[in-house]
Amino acid sequence: MPSELYDAARVDGAGPLREFFAVTLPGLRGQVAVVVTLTVLGAIRVFDIVWLTTRGGPGTSTITPTIVLYQRAFANPDVGAAAAIGVVLAIVSLIVALVVVRLSEDDK
C-alpha cells in the first residue's frame, strides 16, 4: 500500500482500526479473494485427512460430501448417485468461486 493513503487517513482523523478497514483491507481485496476461494473450495472437497483418520466416523459425525461420493462409487456401487454428487459438488464449487470473484471486484 502506498504510505500516502495511510498519511491521508491519519490526517482525516482515522485510528488504527479505521485505517485497516478503509485502507489496508480494500488494498488487499484481490489477495483476500484468492485466499477465501481456495479455503472454501478446499473445505468443500476435503477427503484425504478425514478418510485416513476416521473414515467418516464415529458414526457419521465427520461425513463430508466427498466421502459420501467415494462410498457410493466404490463401497456400495451406486455409480449414478456418485456421479450426481460429483456434479453437484462441481456446481457448488463454481458458484462459490463466482460469488467470491464478484464480491472482490473493484467498484470502479
Side-chain angles (χ1 to χ4, degrees), residues 61-83:
S61 62
T62 58
I63 290 286
T64 65
T66 52
I67 289 181
V68 173
L69 185 145
Y70 179 82
Q71 289 174 338
R72 293 279 173 98
F74 300 111
N76 308 326
D78 187 4
V79 178

Side-chain angles (χ1 to χ4, degrees), residues 24-104:
T24 306
L25 202 54
L28 295 175
R29 185 179 292 196
Q31 291 83 352
V32 170
V34 169
V35 168
V36 168
T37 303
L38 293 176
T39 303
V40 170
L41 294 180
I44 289 172
R45 299 179 307 141
V46 67
F47 173 77
D48 52 352
I49 297 296
V50 176
W51 184 255
L52 290 174
T53 57
T54 66
R55 297 200 189 265
T60 58
S61 62
T62 58
I63 290 286
T64 65
T66 52
I67 289 181
V68 173
L69 185 145
Y70 179 82
Q71 289 174 338
R72 293 279 173 98
F74 300 111
N76 308 326
D78 187 4
V79 178
I85 293 169
V87 168
V88 169
L89 281 175
I91 291 170
V92 168
S93 298
L94 178 66
I95 289 171
V96 166
L98 289 175
V99 166
V100 170
V101 165
R102 179 68 112 172
L103 291 175
S104 69

